Amino acid sequence: MKKDNTGKMRASAEKQSGKGKSADKNSIGKARASAGRSMGKARAAEKQNTGNMGTSVGKNTDTPVLREHWRAGNMLYPLPAVMVSCGRPGEKPNIITVAWAGTICSSPAMVSISVRPSRYSYAILRETGEFVINLTTENLAYAADFCGVRSGREVDKFAQLHLTAEKAVHINAPIIAESPVNIECRVQQVLELGSHHMFIAEVMGVDVDGKYLDKNGKLHLNQAGLMVYSHGEYFGLGKALGKFGYSVQKRR
């Protein structure tokens, strides 16, 4: 009798132990499955994020590319697309649109433009040593593009575009009256760099359209609708993001 009870007790204990092991096994399996699903979701999300961040635009590929290295080239954009007016005495004046232009010194005020020697205006600039940088606006976008792709050898650009050539104050090259700001320049040096020659010039004077001046004589140039050139396209300036020094200005 005692032997039978002992056997029943052992059988019951083994049965409970088996249930415990089965429950533990099921729990471990469920935990592993849940962990696997979580890791799969994380990998999928990471792959999607990497693809969104780095897939090359315009390429039919799913391979993520975070950064490409190109050969040396001109990628400094945006730039001012200015209309440069020049002319020889006794001849029709000309306009050439230049994107390779910029300020190079504050005092004395100096600027530069870079022009290919093959351009019609190049010889005029060399001979006269004078030119005017005329700022462009959205209203002058068509004219700016035209003056950049048509040669003065073939067409009178002032006449074709109905632009007004007015006398400058300090130099013989004309200003474009339709431009909000005209920068009169005299060449100081020419650097023969390669495909382009850089004309370094001193600013002799600046002509400003009075409609952009307030009653105190302050210039509101950003109200003129200025235009820029970026990677083959023309754009307006867009909305203002801040003013010079705003990042360190104390809040009131």
Side-chain angles (χ1 to χ4, degrees):
M1 188 72 177
K2 185 181 289 187
K3 185 177 180 180
D4 290 342
N5 290 338
T6 302
K8 289 180 180 180
M9 289 174 66
R10 286 179 178 173
S12 176
E14 289 176 357
K15 187 176 181 181
Q16 293 296 328
S17 176
K19 288 182 179 181
K21 291 179 180 178
S22 178
D24 290 344
K25 187 175 181 180
N26 289 337
S27 298
I28 292 171
K30 289 180 180 180
R32 287 176 177 172
S34 177
R37 287 193 297 270
S38 298
M39 289 180 65
K41 290 179 180 179
R43 287 171 181 169
E46 182 179 359
K47 183 177 180 180
Q48 182 177 2
N49 290 335
T50 303
N52 291 338
M53 289 173 61
T55 302
S56 297
V57 177
K59 293 184 178 180
N60 296 322
T61 177
D62 294 329
T63 304
V65 179
L66 297 180
R67 183 71 61 178
E68 291 187 2
H69 181 74
W70 294 355
R71 65 178 177 83
N74 300 110
M75 286 296 293
L76 183 61
Y77 296 110
L79 295 165
V82 298
M83 298 167 70
V84 175
S85 51
C86 56
R88 298 186 186 96
E91 295 182 4
K92 64 177 174 63
N94 191 52
I95 306 169
I96 177 175
T97 299
V98 174
W100 299 167
T103 298
I104 57 174
C105 188
S106 298
S107 181
M110 299 187 74
V111 294
S112 72
I113 61 171
S114 294
V115 180
R116 291 180 182 273
S118 60
R119 298 298 295 267
Y120 173 70
S121 295
Y122 178 86
I124 300 175
L125 296 169
R126 275 283 201 178
E127 292 176 23
T128 65
E130 297 178 341
F131 60 88
V132 179
I133 293 178
N134 304 274
L135 300 192
T136 54
T137 64
E138 294 180 27
N139 291 334
L140 288 171
Y142 178 89
D145 184 69
F146 184 91
C147 291
V149 297
R150 296 296 300 273
S151 173
R153 297 185 183 94
E154 305 165 354
V155 62
D156 183 337
K157 298 179 186 180
F158 274 98
Q160 182 75 23
L161 297 167
H162 306 289
L163 295 174
T164 308
E166 289 189 351
K167 184 175 176 57
V169 176
H170 300 281
I171 61 176
N172 293 318
I175 68 172
I176 300 174
E178 288 75 13
S179 170
V181 173
N182 322 95
I183 306 170
E184 302 180 24
C185 306
R186 183 165 290 138
V187 178
Q188 301 297 315
Q189 186 180 0
V190 180
L191 299 179
E192 299 183 2
L193 301 174
S195 64
H196 291 67
H197 291 182
M198 177 184 285
F199 292 81
I200 297 175
E202 183 176 355
V203 175
M204 308 307 297
V206 179
D207 305 282
V208 178
D209 191 332
K211 67 183 177 183
Y212 300 112
L213 300 174
D214 62 23
K215 62 181 181 180
N216 297 318
K218 181 180 178 180
L219 175 63
H220 296 272
L221 183 57
N222 293 327
Q223 295 180 4
L226 298 175
M227 178 189 76
V228 295
Y229 174 81
S230 180
H231 204 48
E233 296 181 279
Y234 304 102
F235 296 90
L237 289 185
K239 68 177 182 178
L241 303 177
K243 64 179 182 179
F244 178 75
Y246 84 100
S247 62
V248 296
Q249 186 177 17
K250 293 182 179 180
R251 295 182 181 181
R252 297 180 180 178

